[in-house]
Amino acid sequence: MDISAFILFWAAIFTSNILLTNFLGMCSYLSVSREIESSFGLGISVIFVLTITTGLNWLVYRYILVPFDIIYLQYIVFIIVIAAFVQLLELIIERYAPALYYTLGIFLPLITVNCAIFGVSLFMVIRNYNFLQSIAYGAGSGIGWLMAIMMLAAIRRKLKEKLVPIGLQGVGISLIITGIMALAFVGFSGIVQVQ
Amino acid sequence: MTKKEIFRISAFKENSVWRQILGICSALAVTNLMVNSLIMGLGVIFALALSCFTISLLRSYTPRSIRMMVQTLIIAAYVIIVDIFLRAYIPVVSKQLGPYVGLIITNCILMGRAEAFASQNKPLDSLIDGLGAGVGYTLVLLVISFIRELFGFGSLFGIKVFGDWWTNWSIMVMAPSAFFILAMFIWVINVKYYKNKA
């Protein structure tokens, strides 16, 4: 895969947005987007965790799983790395930045089960990225995810006063909005191809 | 509750996708072809039913504090079996599904059923509950992929249904249609069966 890390970073945000084209991280996206503030908090934590765990998982994959020929254990190992990192992060933030802990701390457990984090690690292996590309892809995906959830949260706030058909309230209308957003993002495709 | 009732509730009445809004990621991602959806559904049924069974068997030996980790590892073990099986016997589909097979691990349905049902109920009941939730999930996948493949490729399970006169709707193959169809599907179900309770 010879695509520069810089291009990959922008591609991960726009042309192949982790949520709008790869459908990852939908669960927390739909449930948290009720509030703009919490959407932002979760988004920031996702960027941070995503960037670092993708780097960590790349190192683990390249220097532990491949040399010892235990690639088939990658799912378990990746999950453990992510869970351990999130736990560690929680402890560190609680100890050194209590103020930050009260704003971001509640989102950290949610992140372990966010499929975007795990999905990016898997994409990284399948597409054979190098270390720099992995970090760039992780950071870009995180920013793309933050952007998507912020847009949905902002639109949903406007929707609170609008009349929505009863069966469509809540999740239904969120999915339709997301569909329209995805349609808009299709406009970016073709600029650069990430496969 | 009888076994039949457990199955009915977890498959239809409290269906994971349209009632609890879980497992949306893969419900959207793999549904452009019916074959992929079917294989994915079967994989989820297998992993879900057996991991619920195992989690329930071990429920009294699992300390509460590390419960989540144990559950995740059990689920991951079964998903690895599914992944290796697909790679060995149907490599084409395995390649198309890509990371989404591995992503069954973080599929909220599995964790949801493990937490809500398997960690409190008998092994056999949990197995049936897992089967039910898996069947309900597969059903949704098949309905969505039916629409997407029919209009997007003019075929069903890879067999041409429409003749040469058919122009493929390329939007159906792309991401946005998956969101729209799932939204419509949830809308119809809500209006038809749950009346105002949405």
Side-chain angles (χ1 to χ4, degrees), chain B residues 57-126:
Chain B
L57 265 185
L58 298 173
R59 71 187 189 283
S60 42
Y61 308 103
T62 320
R64 261 197 93 71
S65 49
I66 56 160
R67 189 178 79 250
M68 295 283 254
M69 204 63 227
V70 172
Q71 289 171 356
T72 312
L73 289 181
I74 291 171
I75 292 170
Y78 284 112
V79 173
I80 289 177
I81 295 175
V82 172
D83 186 43
I84 291 176
F85 180 84
L86 289 186
R87 250 178 237 200
Y89 291 100
I90 13 185
V92 181
V93 177
S94 167
K95 204 153 185 126
Q96 281 175 350
L97 290 176
Y100 294 101
V101 179
L103 281 165
I104 298 177
I105 300 175
T106 47
N107 190 326
C108 326
I109 295 178
L110 278 85
M111 252 342 212
R113 288 334 292 173
E115 257 316 89
F117 199 93
S119 59
Q120 286 136 29
N121 287 283
K122 287 200 208 75
L124 207 59
D125 289 355
S126 304

Side-chain angles (χ1 to χ4, degrees), chain A:
Chain A
M1 195 79 203
D2 47 341
I3 178 170
S4 89
F6 182 71
I7 293 177
L8 197 58
F9 174 74
W10 292 105
I13 302 178
F14 294 108
T15 62
S16 61
N17 187 290
I18 189 83
L19 192 130
L20 297 172
T21 60
N22 289 324
F23 313 104
L24 294 178
M26 287 297 294
C27 297
S28 34
Y29 169 82
L30 288 174
S31 56
V32 177
S33 61
R34 268 185 220 107
E35 304 283 334
I36 290 191
E37 290 75 22
S38 30
S39 303
F40 187 72
L42 182 63
I44 294 291
S45 334
V46 166
I47 295 177
F48 189 67
V49 174
L50 197 48
T51 313
I52 296 185
T53 53
T54 313
L56 280 178
N57 279 337
W58 189 89
L59 292 173
V60 167
Y61 183 77
R62 180 74 184 70
Y63 293 106
I64 298 178
L65 296 186
V66 173
F68 289 95
D69 201 18
I70 42 171
I71 296 172
Y72 58 89
L73 283 182
Q74 57 170 312
Y75 297 157
I76 287 190
V77 174
F78 285 175
I79 282 281
I80 292 176
V81 168
I82 293 169
F85 176 74
V86 171
Q87 201 97 83
L88 197 70
L89 190 70
E90 209 176 339
L91 289 178
I92 294 173
I93 294 181
E94 194 179 9
R95 173 80 177 74
Y96 292 104
L100 191 65
Y101 182 75
Y102 285 112
T103 48
L104 291 190
I106 40 166
F107 300 118
L108 286 174
L110 264 179
I111 287 191
T112 325
V113 290
N114 189 328
C115 34
I117 313 280
F118 187 50
V120 166
S121 289
L122 294 182
F123 272 124
M124 161 198 91
V125 169
I126 288 177
R127 294 177 184 166
N128 221 348
Y129 289 152
N130 64 30
F131 186 64
L132 209 60
Q133 285 173 331
S134 306
I135 299 261
Y137 184 65
S141 299
I143 295 171
W145 197 85
L146 169 78
M147 202 167 65
I149 195 173
M150 287 300 286
M151 289 197 292
L152 179 66
I155 297 174
R156 280 181 82 169
R157 176 185 271 186
K158 290 275 175 203
L159 270 181
K160 270 183 193 151
E161 304 112 41
K162 301 285 185 289
L163 282 172
V164 175
I166 286 170
L168 212 50
Q169 275 165 9
V171 180
I173 195 72
S174 303
L175 281 170
I176 289 187
I177 295 167
T178 314
I180 297 172
M181 274 159 44
L183 209 52
F185 272 67
V186 168
F188 288 116
S189 67
I191 300 174
V192 59
Q193 199 64 15
V194 182
Q195 271 312 321

